[in-house]
Amino acid sequence: MQTAQTIVHHSDAATDEVNLDYDGRFLRRKVLTTQSGQQILVDLPRTTSIGHDDALQTADGRLIRVVAAPEPLLEIRGHDLHRIAWHIGNRHTPCQIEAERLLIQQDKVMADLLTRLGAEVRDVTEPFTPEGGAYGHGRTHGHDHSATHGPDGHHHHDHAHPHEH
């Protein structure tokens, strides 16, 4: 079994590919099966968000393209998309932002909230390639603010960390 320990960003030289959903593209150490049926061990130095069209480089130099696999999502449309996007971002929810719509992972609570905000929400199955985190980590939900629930039952954040908001 070949081992992949390196990521090459946006490579066109891949000889094989793996299809991974959004959560599956957050890797550290895992055995993956390529489209051709070959197994490779991904063994990265730290947990990494791998983008659609990036490639995993195996020890023998081959490149395995990573493709965003279709997955169940919520498509959000409406007249006030910038306001709706703000509410999604305020909840640290990964979001794919397009000119006429937003895409998020399926979540009944978010769907209800967005509908109450006036959005048109429907289920779709598509590849999910959300915006990277504001701090360069690639994942918005990977940015921990030490969330807790206070005595009032509401969600609170301890924002004492080394970067600015």
Side-chain angles (χ1 to χ4, degrees), residues 9-71:
H9 296 290
H10 304 291
S11 173
D12 292 330
T15 58
D16 204 348
E17 67 183 42
V18 292
N19 293 311
L20 301 171
D21 65 12
Y22 179 68
D23 291 332
R25 293 191 313 270
F26 198 53
L27 290 170
R28 209 306 274 147
R29 184 175 169 88
K30 185 175 184 177
V31 174
L32 301 175
T33 303
T34 69
Q35 290 288 46
S36 69
Q38 180 185 4
Q39 290 193 324
I40 60 166
L41 170 64
V42 176
D43 187 14
L44 301 172
R46 65 185 164 285
T47 304
T48 304
S49 178
I50 301 171
H52 171 73
D53 276 341
D54 286 348
L56 300 165
Q57 186 170 23
T58 61
D60 66 359
R62 287 182 300 120
L63 296 174
I64 310 297
R65 181 175 175 236
V66 176
V67 177
E71 60 186 287

Side-chain angles (χ1 to χ4, degrees), residues 9-164:
H9 296 290
H10 304 291
S11 173
D12 292 330
T15 58
D16 204 348
E17 67 183 42
V18 292
N19 293 311
L20 301 171
D21 65 12
Y22 179 68
D23 291 332
R25 293 191 313 270
F26 198 53
L27 290 170
R28 209 306 274 147
R29 184 175 169 88
K30 185 175 184 177
V31 174
L32 301 175
T33 303
T34 69
Q35 290 288 46
S36 69
Q38 180 185 4
Q39 290 193 324
I40 60 166
L41 170 64
V42 176
D43 187 14
L44 301 172
R46 65 185 164 285
T47 304
T48 304
S49 178
I50 301 171
H52 171 73
D53 276 341
D54 286 348
L56 300 165
Q57 186 170 23
T58 61
D60 66 359
R62 287 182 300 120
L63 296 174
I64 310 297
R65 181 175 175 236
V66 176
V67 177
E71 60 186 287
L73 302 170
L74 293 177
E75 178 186 75
I76 301 121
R77 294 182 181 267
H79 300 296
D80 217 0
L81 273 185
H82 61 281
R83 185 171 138 269
I84 293 165
W86 182 88
H87 282 280
I88 292 169
N90 192 44
R91 285 153 184 85
H92 299 264
T93 300
C95 183
Q96 182 173 325
I97 300 170
E98 298 177 3
E100 302 294 322
R101 69 180 187 158
L102 306 171
L103 293 171
I104 63 171
Q105 291 176 309
Q106 287 193 345
D107 180 320
K108 291 180 185 203
V109 173
M110 285 294 291
D112 181 56
L113 168 71
L114 297 171
T115 301
R116 286 187 282 123
L117 289 170
E120 301 164 22
V121 180
R122 74 179 183 108
D123 294 339
V124 296
T125 301
E126 298 180 24
F128 186 47
T129 56
E131 296 293 316
Y135 306 103
H137 301 298
R139 296 276 172 151
T140 54
H141 69 258
H143 181 71
D144 182 15
H145 284 131
S146 303
T148 60
H149 289 74
D152 58 0
H154 290 94
H155 187 83
H156 298 280
H157 292 285
D158 172 13
H159 281 94
H161 41 67
H163 58 264
E164 299 176 21

